């Protein structure tokens, strides 16, 4: 693992939520460089895509469903579900999870 990969991984491990743009700006790298770093960190086992994470943790998705507003039928929305007075704020199928990267256990336990 090179220094810039370590810096990106440390940035991600900080526990804050950052956009790719924030990572690129703070570390002085381009979008193409960040994409290559994500690929490298994934290949090394430090990151995984969200779909793989859900396959390994099927109960995680069930927990999210408990907080959703379902069909937002009259009065059926819970305040935790993200429903607004006009209905649900968004449905799961409207969200693109394909670009979400999840830190693996290795990212937190492996000394690099």
């Amino acid at each position: 693992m090179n220094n810039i990969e370590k810096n990106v991984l440390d940035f991600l491990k900080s526990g804050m939520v950052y956009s790719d743009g924030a990572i690129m700006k703070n570390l002085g790298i381009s979008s193409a460089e960040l994409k290559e770093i994500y690929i490298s960190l994934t290949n090394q086992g430090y990151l995984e895509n969200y779909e793989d994470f859900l396959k390994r943790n099927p109960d995680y998705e069930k927990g999210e469903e408990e907080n959703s507003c379902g069909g937002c039928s009259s009065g059926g929305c819970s305040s935790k579900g993200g429903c607004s007075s006009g209905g649900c704020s968004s449905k799961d199928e409207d969200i693109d999870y394909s670009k979400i990267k999840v830190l693996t256990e290795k990212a937190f336990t492996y000394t690099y």
Side-chain angles (χ1 to χ4, degrees):
M1 176 182 304
N2 63 37
N3 283 336
I4 194 68
E5 289 174 341
K6 290 177 187 178
N7 290 339
V8 169
L9 191 56
D10 286 341
F11 207 86
L12 295 172
K13 286 174 28 180
S14 71
M16 303 295 290
V17 177
Y18 295 102
S19 67
D20 287 352
I23 294 170
M24 292 182 297
K25 182 178 179 181
N26 281 290
L27 298 178
I29 58 177
S30 70
S31 176
E33 289 171 311
L34 183 59
K35 184 177 179 179
E36 289 300 316
I37 290 168
Y38 283 160
I39 291 169
S40 177
L41 291 174
T42 300
N43 290 340
Q44 294 177 61
Y46 294 104
L47 296 176
E48 66 182 337
N49 67 44
Y50 190 67
E51 289 176 354
D52 290 341
F53 169 78
L54 289 179
K55 288 176 189 173
R56 288 186 316 96
N57 300 285
D59 291 337
Y60 183 81
E61 193 169 31
K62 290 178 186 173
E64 287 181 347
E65 289 173 5
E66 291 173 4
N67 293 330
S68 69
C69 39
C72 278
S73 58
S74 58
C77 295
S78 69
S79 59
K80 292 192 287 185
C83 298
S84 62
S85 60
C88 293
S89 58
S90 69
K91 296 181 180 176
D92 242 9
E93 60 266 5
D94 294 338
I95 300 171
D96 179 14
Y97 293 104
S98 65
K99 294 183 180 181
I100 294 176
K101 302 293 182 205
V102 179
L103 289 164
T104 64
E105 185 176 346
K106 180 180 179 180
F108 293 99
T109 59
Y110 185 75
T111 305
Y112 44 87

